[in-house]
Amino acid sequence: MPSCPRCDAPVDDEARYCAQCGAPQTEDAAEELDEYVQRQAEQVSGGGGGGGSDGGGSDGSDAFPSKEDLTDREQLWRRGSYVLGYGTVVVALTRVPAAESWPLILGGIAILPPIRRLTAEPLGSPLKREVMAGIYAVFALIGIALFVLLP
């Protein structure tokens, strides 16, 4: 009985994949796995299968262009949103029992770029960047006000 080259587990002669670690055992299985991974990567990155439905506009109303299609300004916005959102959530989590932490957590979540994707379907279109920043600002101001006003 042959063994898997990755984990040395025993593998059946006709097995296409290792039952222990999932490594492909034949050349066909390896090619099939590579194609599957490519398709999944394209779906996750938003770069494939849409038939050109991403508008690529720089006004924030685009339909999620792939990372390669983003301008430097849009990439900076996305990176800044992640830093600001996760930073706010982390700071708020340090004060969780306090009342001001909950608006800060909501604000941090609201500014994260994936929220645009999540809200696009029920709302009919993605939120503009300015709207996301406004929602963040409202929640952050409420959280800061509660921090100042409550003992």
Side-chain angles (χ1 to χ4, degrees):
M1 180 177 270
S3 65
C4 174
R6 181 187 282 168
C7 69
D8 291 328
V11 179
D12 289 334
D13 290 332
E14 294 105 27
R16 293 174 41 94
Y17 298 95
C18 174
Q20 198 72 349
C21 69
Q25 300 298 308
T26 65
E27 203 58 40
D28 290 338
E31 289 175 15
E32 179 183 321
L33 181 62
D34 286 342
E35 291 172 8
Y36 174 77
V37 169
Q38 286 289 26
R39 284 193 311 270
Q40 293 299 316
E42 287 175 3
Q43 286 180 343
V44 168
S45 71
S53 66
D54 57 53
S58 62
D59 64 345
S61 62
D62 54 355
F64 316 117
S66 66
K67 187 174 182 178
E68 296 81 26
D69 295 338
L70 294 175
T71 66
D72 289 341
R73 184 176 180 173
E74 291 166 333
Q75 287 182 9
L76 181 63
W77 164 259
R78 185 176 283 181
R79 288 183 190 129
S81 295
Y82 277 114
V83 169
L84 187 62
Y86 285 125
T88 303
V89 169
V90 168
V91 168
L93 287 176
T94 63
R95 304 202 40 92
V96 161
E100 71 268 9
S101 65
W102 302 110
L104 291 174
I105 290 171
L106 291 174
I109 292 170
I111 195 84
L112 293 173
I115 297 303
R116 290 185 73 208
R117 289 182 192 258
L118 294 174
T119 58
E121 189 173 328
L123 296 177
S125 67
L127 293 172
K128 292 187 179 241
R129 293 185 305 230
E130 294 82 7
V131 172
M132 292 173 60
I135 292 170
Y136 171 80
V138 167
F139 280 120
L141 288 174
I142 291 171
I144 292 168
L146 288 174
F147 179 73
V148 170
L149 296 175
L150 297 178

